[in-house]
Amino acid sequence: MNDIDAWVWWLVGAAALGIPLVVTAMPEFGMLAVGAVAAAVVAGFGLDVVIQVLTFVVVSVALIAVVRPIAARHRNQRPQLATGVDALKGRQAVVLERVDGSGGRIKLAGEIWSARALDAGSTFEVGQEVDVVDIEGATAIVM
């Protein structure tokens, strides 16, 4: 162990912590790896082993304490960019065939869709603009 400097061992440890990071996709291993790199820097300056270990612990714990709650908050947020049928809700469409409670056709986002009026008593005539409020299967619900 005397032949290899302590900073090299810390870098080996950081690389070893990077393997489970990639395999398990657990970001905590990455934070521990950054702590090991910080300890390698401290070891490179020739500081004592106790200070190296304290640096590793403090940096790792600080990263976990700060980054984990931020990551959890972002993971729980819904994406702001709507895709698929969710992107069609709220858009306007043009009636191609009379739309009522039993059905009809509209042109929505350049495509022809079957449509149904949200209120069964409502009727929309050809050429009228309607708002898409929901998509049920392949049918747009309009008002």
Side-chain angles (χ1 to χ4, degrees), residues 79-140:
Q80 293 179 346
L81 177 63
T83 59
V85 293
D86 290 331
L88 298 174
K89 294 176 185 175
R91 297 203 44 192
Q92 288 192 329
V94 177
V95 176
L96 298 177
E97 293 177 14
R98 184 172 187 248
V99 176
D100 55 23
S102 61
R105 296 232 181 262
I106 61 171
K107 186 167 190 172
L108 172 62
E111 297 179 349
I112 297 174
W113 283 73
S114 59
R116 187 177 77 236
L118 177 64
D119 180 20
S122 296
T123 302
F124 304 101
E125 298 300 329
V126 175
Q128 225 178 329
E129 286 193 358
V130 292
D131 293 320
V132 177
V133 293
D134 198 10
I135 304 285
E136 291 179 358
T139 303

Side-chain angles (χ1 to χ4, degrees), residues 50-70:
V50 174
I51 295 175
Q52 295 171 29
V53 172
L54 284 174
T55 301
F56 170 74
V57 170
V58 168
V59 170
S60 299
V61 169
L63 283 172
I64 291 172
V66 172
V67 174
R68 262 183 103 204
I70 294 170

Side-chain angles (χ1 to χ4, degrees), residues 7-23:
W7 66 270
V8 175
W9 287 111
W10 283 110
L11 289 180
V12 168
L17 287 166
I19 293 170
L21 168 66
V22 172
V23 173

